[in-house]
Amino acid sequence: MRLLVIEDDATLRESLSRKLIESGFAVEQAADGKEGLYFASEYPVDLAIIDLGLPEVSGLDIIKQVRADGHSYPILILTARDRWEDKVDGLSAGADDYVVKPFHFEEVSARVNALLRRSGGWASSVLTAGPVTLDMSRQDVRVNAEPIDLTSFEYKIMEYLMVRAGQVISKAELTDRLYDQDFERDSNVIEVFIGRLRKKLDPDNSIKPIETLRGRGYRFALERNQVD
Amino acid sequence: MNSLSSRLLVSVSVLLLFFFGATTAVLDRAFTEAGEQARQDILDGHLVGLLAAAEPDETGRLVMPERLREPRLERIGSGLYAEMRAVDGTVLWRSRSALGFEIPAGASLDLGEHRFTRETLADGTPLLTLSLAVDWELDNGASQPYVFKVAETLDGFNAQVAGFRRQLFGWFAAVALTMVLAFSMLLRGLLKPLRQIETEITEIEEGDRASLSGQFPTELKGVARNLNLLIDSERARSDRYRYTLDNLAHSLKTPLAAMRALLNDREGGDFSRRYNEQIDRMDEIVRYQLRKPAASADQLVLVPVPVEKEVARLIDGLRKVYRDKQPEFDVRIEKGMQFRGDTGDFLELAGNLLDNACKWCARRVRIAIVPSSGRSAAASGMVLTVADDGPGIPQEAADALLQRGMRLDESTPGHGIGLAVVKDIARSYGGQLVIQQAADLGGAEIIVSIPPVSAG
């Protein structure tokens, strides 16, 4: 998943980005409103974390502009302004949730995951499709209640596909969203990971959780168990 | 007597009374004196007539002719009388008109003296008399003293004076009344701009108007301009206060967030944990202090907040934040309900209460806003009730919060800061906070009552 972090305080921005990268996100950073607005409009973004008090262009204006341009990805506000007036302004401008500074990273991470999951149409952080269960908060995948041991990269691919269950995800999108820019862009790597994932999830090839659509990409194929 | 117009009216009435009283007195006196002078001249004429008519007879005594030329002296009871006496007071002659009367003799006169007096007849009729003592020289050179006296009753004259006075009073009273009436109407017109200023200030207080219109006469323009300046500076002050707070919040909290991020990077175990605790404390202090009420009930200008719209905005926002939980909101807001105060303060009140309710509810949240004590929705106090179907707030925690006030390090977990802020804001508007159990939903029910803005 590719996140955009727009925050003018360098220490905070770098630390937050590093932690997000450690949690398995690809992160784009912007230090002011102008740059932030450019990234937010021009880059492929799955979720944006926007500080409200930015130089050049205010966070509120970025949110309004992004929504006016028709982007629907979730937006999490970081705000030092704790008053409801500011929170409500942000939320009605088009943001989806807020975190008040100073925050614990866990709080941001929990909200980011919740927003991503919701944007994929899941109502709970435990995603269930057929025999497969993925717990986003614990980064834990089970098949028929049996825990599956996945590497962090395998988990990321699994989560990305399952959150978007039913959608076709191209190899390019997977590389784009899961790696940072400087990572080797070799689509074979993705194929290898998908292959390993299939083996771990479905050793006897009975449930077929991940479909390959030739020339188009991959799709998590199991029906969601959750209504919502 | 506290109104300008009644003061003016009373002073003008007193002034008019004094002025007209003095004028009446002067006119009355002038009229009476002129009348009396005229009477005296007439009496003088009659006396001269009498002297001319008197003739000495052959014995050398003065006698009056049988008939006098003045008909009033011949008609009985005509009101004009004449007599001639000897010096010792013996009546020598009396006009026919005085038949049956006894004209008072009066004080004796020196020879040649000419005296007007006021006397009364036996029946009380007032008289004006003119007496003259003369030494009548006879042809033979001898002389004999006589006293001639003419008298006229003052009945007619007094009636004339009374009539004059009646007329004078009547006219003056009518004029004075007309003047007072005209003046009071004039005053209404003159004071109209003052009343307009009063109306406009009330409208500003109630938020129906931003500033005074400026459509005032020259004398009031300065006052209106200064009032507008005062209102503007009050608004600016309040904005500046908010702006300063905002900046302070931002400039304090971003470094706090950065400090926390740096600490977390170090993974310093106990050191990191203890530092984090201190950051939490600082954060709570900053949050609590910065969310203090922006306005209060005694502020000069309170702009009414359209409560329904703001609550709708809050609920839209909270639906996003609590999307997983999907609380059911039951909103009961009196139509046209307004909150007289700062929008931010209202959002703090409703936002904190709704946020807590969403956090704790199982599914249902109820918010009700009604005017206090059954007044009209537009100009009244407000009762804000937020309830949920969650576990409720333990009685001890509620009591502690309401009685002791906010102790930062002992705040009720989950409810603490929000409720403390709500309590502070409610108090700054002269209102109060009640925490109880919701009868219908079973969870916490928090009631904030804000009294109406006291008029004037």
Side-chain angles (χ1 to χ4, degrees):
Chain A
M1 307 260 181
R2 183 165 295 278
L3 307 191
L4 170 62
V5 175
I6 312 178
E7 162 65 60
D8 57 321
D9 185 88
T11 317
L12 196 57
R13 181 182 66 247
E14 279 156 19
S15 163
L16 180 60
S17 303
R18 186 163 53 248
K19 291 248 171 195
L20 287 169
I21 291 165
E22 281 166 19
S23 318
F25 296 105
V27 175
E28 213 64 67
Q29 301 182 32
D32 63 54
K34 223 167 152 184
E35 193 186 6
L37 181 57
Y38 175 75
F39 284 159
S41 329
E42 304 298 328
Y43 276 48
V45 171
D46 292 306
L47 180 142
I49 300 175
I50 302 177
D51 178 29
L52 280 188
L54 289 169
E56 307 269 355
V57 183
S58 84
L60 216 53
D61 290 338
I62 297 181
I63 297 170
K64 284 180 187 153
Q65 189 58 51
V66 162
R67 289 297 183 239
D69 292 348
H71 298 288
S72 61
Y73 55 77
I75 295 174
L76 176 65
I77 305 172
L78 291 186
T79 175
R81 296 188 173 92
D82 200 8
R83 291 180 59 93
W84 275 95
E85 203 168 2
D86 302 306
K87 294 182 206 163
V88 164
D89 281 347
L91 291 170
S92 28
D96 296 274
D97 206 347
Y98 62 87
V99 173
V100 177
K101 290 182 191 173
F103 46 80
H104 288 279
F105 174 73
E106 293 70 29
E107 205 181 339
V108 175
S109 152
R111 293 190 188 240
V112 164
N113 280 320
L115 287 175
L116 286 173
R117 167 172 54 71
R118 278 186 214 151
S119 72
W122 297 88
S124 145
S125 66
V126 180
L127 320 183
T128 317
V132 180
T133 303
L134 183 145
D135 186 335
M136 290 178 77
S137 53
R138 289 158 56 200
Q139 303 214 341
D140 170 63
V141 178
R142 287 160 193 258
V143 176
N144 292 320
E146 282 298 309
I148 309 290
D149 187 25
L150 297 180
T151 66
S152 103
F153 203 82
E154 285 162 1
Y155 173 80
K156 276 184 234 164
I157 294 182
M158 177 71 190
E159 188 189 275
Y160 195 90
L161 289 176
M162 194 160 172
V163 160
R164 289 160 182 71
Q167 296 175 31
V168 180
I169 315 289
S170 70
K171 274 189 216 169
E173 185 178 346
L174 275 177
T175 2
D176 234 27
R177 302 292 164 103
L178 300 181
Y179 292 119
D180 262 323
Q181 277 163 324
D182 48 355
F183 203 93
E184 166 115 31
R185 287 176 173 266
D186 182 354
S187 62
N188 287 336
V189 178
I190 299 288
E191 270 170 44
V192 172
F193 277 118
I194 294 279
R196 277 207 238 152
L197 204 51
R198 279 185 178 139
K199 248 179 223 136
K200 284 187 178 176
L201 292 174
D202 187 21
D204 51 5
N205 202 19
S206 59
I207 51 175
K208 297 193 174 77
I210 300 169
E211 267 183 326
T212 306
L213 294 103
R214 206 162 295 279
R216 289 169 63 200
Y218 303 98
R219 174 164 65 189
F220 189 84
L222 299 179
E223 278 294 308
R224 300 179 187 200
N225 288 17
Q226 227 164 341
V227 197
D228 251 307
Chain B
M1 272 307 271
N2 253 336
S3 99
L4 274 183
S5 60
S6 64
R7 279 183 201 195
L8 266 171
L9 220 57
V10 166
S11 340
V12 163
S13 304
V14 166
L15 219 67
L16 273 179
L17 211 66
F18 179 75
F19 173 71
F20 279 141
T23 314
T24 313
V26 167
L27 279 179
D28 182 57
R29 194 179 161 78
F31 179 81
T32 317
E33 274 177 0
E36 209 163 297
Q37 190 59 54
R39 295 281 131 186
Q40 288 180 0
D41 289 349
I42 291 169
L43 280 185
D44 219 17
H46 288 309
L47 190 69
V48 171
L50 272 185
L51 288 178
E55 287 291 344
D57 67 358
E58 54 276 16
T59 64
R61 296 219 310 258
L62 272 181
V63 289
M64 301 303 290
E66 198 55 24
R67 299 201 76 82
L68 291 165
R69 287 173 65 184
E70 171 56 52
R72 287 179 67 206
L73 287 175
E74 296 300 321
R75 208 165 62 243
I76 296 170
S78 69
L80 182 65
Y81 314 109
E83 63 178 10
M84 182 175 67
R85 290 175 191 246
V87 200
D88 59 0
T90 324
V91 176
L92 298 176
W93 171 86
R94 186 168 279 166
S95 70
R96 191 163 288 127
S97 62
L99 203 71
F101 293 107
E102 187 58 47
I103 298 168
S108 58
L109 296 136
D110 299 332
L111 274 179
E113 195 184 345
H114 184 263
R115 183 197 284 171
F116 288 99
T117 52
R118 278 170 181 272
E119 280 157 28
T120 38
L121 283 180
D123 64 357
T125 315
L127 285 177
L128 181 67
T129 64
L130 173 60
S131 312
L132 177 67
V134 291
D135 203 17
W136 197 280
E137 269 182 47
L138 297 171
D139 293 340
N140 57 14
S143 67
Q144 185 109 33
Y146 293 95
V147 175
F148 287 86
K149 185 169 190 175
V150 278
E152 193 177 17
T153 59
L154 286 172
D155 279 348
F157 174 63
N158 282 351
Q160 212 180 340
V161 170
F164 171 76
R165 281 189 184 147
R166 257 197 315 280
Q167 276 210 343
L168 194 65
F169 279 125
W171 278 108
F172 273 9
V175 168
L177 204 69
T178 317
M179 280 182 80
V180 168
L181 273 176
F183 190 73
S184 69
M185 270 155 72
L186 200 71
L187 261 184
R188 285 181 72 84
L190 275 175
L191 291 180
K192 206 174 153 200
L194 278 183
R195 266 195 292 276
Q196 197 194 336
I197 279 200
E198 193 193 341
T199 315
E200 290 189 7
I201 289 176
T202 310
E203 285 171 357
I204 290 171
E205 278 171 352
E206 290 176 354
D208 301 333
R209 173 183 279 280
S211 59
L212 294 178
S213 63
Q215 307 287 317
F216 295 110
T218 330
E219 291 84 348
L220 286 179
K221 277 218 168 92
V223 175
R225 195 181 53 239
N226 286 342
L227 262 175
N228 274 338
L229 279 177
L230 188 65
I231 291 166
D232 285 349
S233 77
E234 173 81 7
R235 288 211 179 103
R237 194 181 61 82
S238 155
D239 285 352
R240 201 160 52 238
Y241 175 68
R242 169 65 44 77
Y243 183 73
T244 312
L245 278 190
D246 253 19
N247 279 352
L248 193 58
H250 194 69
S251 50
L252 275 177
K253 295 181 114 196
T254 303
L256 277 180
M259 273 165 78
R260 171 162 287 156
L262 287 172
L263 271 174
N264 290 353
D265 289 349
R266 277 184 52 147
E267 299 291 350
D270 191 46
F271 167 83
S272 172
R273 187 183 55 75
R274 279 161 60 192
Y275 246 89
N276 260 318
E277 277 171 18
Q278 295 307 311
I279 291 177
D280 282 340
R281 274 187 63 186
M282 283 164 74
D283 173 40
E284 288 224 328
I285 293 166
V286 171
R287 273 170 69 190
Y288 179 66
Q289 295 300 331
L290 293 187
R291 283 163 73 178
K292 286 216 161 158
S296 62
D298 51 4
Q299 200 173 331
L300 182 62
V301 190
L302 296 175
V303 182
V305 179
V307 159
E308 214 169 347
K309 193 185 116 212
E310 295 302 330
V311 168
R313 251 157 50 92
L314 270 172
I315 288 180
D316 281 347
L318 286 167
R319 273 191 213 282
K320 284 185 178 176
V321 176
Y322 292 93
R323 193 173 289 164
D324 288 348
K325 200 164 184 177
Q326 298 201 334
E328 286 166 16
F329 290 96
D330 176 7
V331 183
R332 303 174 189 174
I333 296 177
E334 182 99 354
K335 206 123 201 89
M337 187 73 207
Q338 292 178 330
F339 169 68
R340 299 197 172 278
D342 180 76
T343 311
D345 287 345
F346 175 77
L347 284 172
E348 281 307 295
L349 284 177
N352 282 309
L353 293 180
L354 280 173
D355 189 35
N356 277 343
C358 287
K359 201 177 290 168
W360 292 94
C361 74
R363 196 72 203 245
R364 292 163 65 195
V365 172
R366 169 165 55 80
I367 176 167
I369 304 178
V370 293
S372 57
S373 61
R375 284 148 152 270
S376 79
S380 72
M382 170 184 95
V383 179
L384 164 67
T385 311
V386 175
D388 63 66
D389 59 350
I393 301 176
Q395 194 57 47
E396 316 87 73
D399 288 347
L401 182 81
L402 291 184
Q403 282 165 19
R404 262 188 298 127
M406 175 70 180
R407 289 277 301 277
L408 287 172
D409 38 4
E410 296 178 36
S411 58
T412 324
H415 280 290
I417 265 227
L419 271 188
V421 168
V422 168
K423 195 185 83 180
D424 262 22
I425 292 175
R427 192 170 280 175
S428 86
Y429 284 89
Q432 45 183 308
L433 183 69
V434 174
I435 302 175
Q436 59 185 46
Q437 196 184 23
D440 51 345
L441 296 177
E445 179 171 69
I446 292 155
I447 304 168
V448 177
S449 326
I450 307 283
V453 178
S454 52

